[in-house]
Amino acid sequence: MVKVSVGSKSFDVQIGEGDEMISTLGQLRERISEEANIDPSCMKIIHRGKTIQGDDDLSLLDLKFKKNDKLLIMGKVSTTMKDDPGFSALVSYENSNLVPLQKLHEEIEKDLTQLELNYLDKEKSLEMVKRMEKRLAQFTETSMKHLEGLDGLNIIGELTTEDQAIRNREKRKFLVDGIHTLMNGNDKHVRRLEEYKKKLLGEIIE
């Protein structure tokens, strides 16, 4: 095990060939980049006063580290943050579930507007109202399930940096806020449909 120091931050790295251990210089650079958000292309790893140089496939076992050896890291903070598994999971959920939810909301808006134009007779219109009521109720139920799904996503792991954790939380909040916006829009659809139904039944006279 070696101790890695990056500015005021430090963490331990297990060197070896077993599970969850790091065996190559490339893996070490990647781990440091994840922990400290240092650009690997500008990274300098200093061990006992000397900069470690070599290709990514260089074996760390050949460097003969001793237990609790210290590595000093110098480099430039990366301006672009990689998508870690948590962020990638959020993006995947958004594309698979929330984009279709947005499209469904737009379809309901279009169909409700058409219904309000009164192209159908009263009996047909009331039948369409019942179908629309079911669609609106289903939309709310689906939206609630997606809120639960987002809440259950594991977006912060053991290797997630503090900056990445903040980014992941902000992404999830953005998605949650988006669902709430769609649900508010769906509530407006419900009120519009109720008003239209009352007009059909003669409860509201225009």
Side-chain angles (χ1 to χ4, degrees):
M1 181 178 70
V2 297
K3 295 185 178 296
V4 179
S5 296
V6 186
S8 60
K9 182 175 183 177
S10 63
F11 53 92
D12 296 333
V13 173
Q14 294 284 351
I15 304 295
E17 294 182 334
D19 293 339
E20 299 184 0
M21 290 189 176
I22 290 176
S23 61
T24 67
L25 182 57
Q27 291 174 341
L28 178 60
R29 287 169 174 157
E30 183 177 352
R31 174 66 184 278
I32 294 170
S33 178
E34 291 174 351
E35 288 282 352
N37 196 29
I38 298 293
D39 187 344
S41 64
C42 303
M43 183 186 300
K44 285 187 177 181
I45 304 175
I46 301 173
H47 177 233
R48 298 178 187 172
K50 295 182 179 180
T51 300
I52 298 177
Q53 296 179 334
D55 296 330
D56 285 345
D57 59 358
L58 175 67
S59 174
L60 296 179
L61 301 180
D62 294 339
L63 300 181
K64 302 186 185 303
F65 288 114
K66 293 182 179 180
K67 186 177 181 180
N68 293 327
D69 264 0
K70 294 183 179 180
L71 300 179
L72 177 63
I73 310 303
M74 300 180 67
K76 181 180 179 182
V77 175
S78 177
T79 56
T80 58
M81 197 175 297
K82 294 181 180 179
D83 291 351
D84 74 338
F87 193 87
S88 296
L90 288 167
V91 172
S92 177
Y93 195 95
E94 178 182 18
N95 293 333
S96 300
N97 300 285
L98 305 188
V99 171
L101 189 67
Q102 172 69 39
K103 291 181 179 179
L104 178 59
H105 178 77
E106 293 170 357
E107 290 173 2
I108 290 175
E109 166 68 28
K110 180 180 178 181
D111 292 345
L112 179 56
T113 299
Q114 287 293 317
L115 183 60
E116 290 171 328
L117 293 177
N118 283 324
Y119 288 147
L120 303 175
D121 58 38
K122 181 178 179 180
E123 183 178 347
K124 285 285 187 180
S125 293
L126 287 173
E127 181 180 340
M128 295 302 296
V129 166
K130 289 183 179 180
R131 293 181 182 179
M132 182 61 72
E133 286 174 339
K134 291 181 180 179
R135 290 175 68 186
L136 294 175
Q138 182 63 44
F139 187 92
T140 297
E141 182 179 344
T142 300
S143 298
M144 292 298 296
K145 288 181 179 179
H146 285 318
L147 288 175
E148 294 174 0
L150 284 172
D151 186 59
L153 282 181
N154 183 16
I155 62 171
I156 299 176
E158 293 182 0
L159 299 180
T160 306
T161 65
E162 183 177 350
D163 289 341
Q164 186 67 61
I166 293 173
R167 184 185 186 219
N168 292 357
R169 292 190 188 99
E170 289 177 346
K171 177 65 174 179
R172 178 157 61 185
K173 184 179 184 301
F174 171 78
L175 297 180
V176 168
D177 289 346
I179 294 176
H180 282 144
T181 298
L182 292 177
M183 291 179 71
N184 289 337
N186 195 62
D187 289 342
K188 292 179 181 179
H189 288 160
V190 170
R191 291 192 291 271
R192 281 171 58 185
L193 186 64
E194 289 175 347
E195 183 176 348
Y196 175 70
K197 183 178 180 180
K198 288 179 180 180
K199 289 178 181 178
L200 285 176
L201 297 174
E203 297 177 11
I204 296 179
I205 300 177
E206 296 183 279

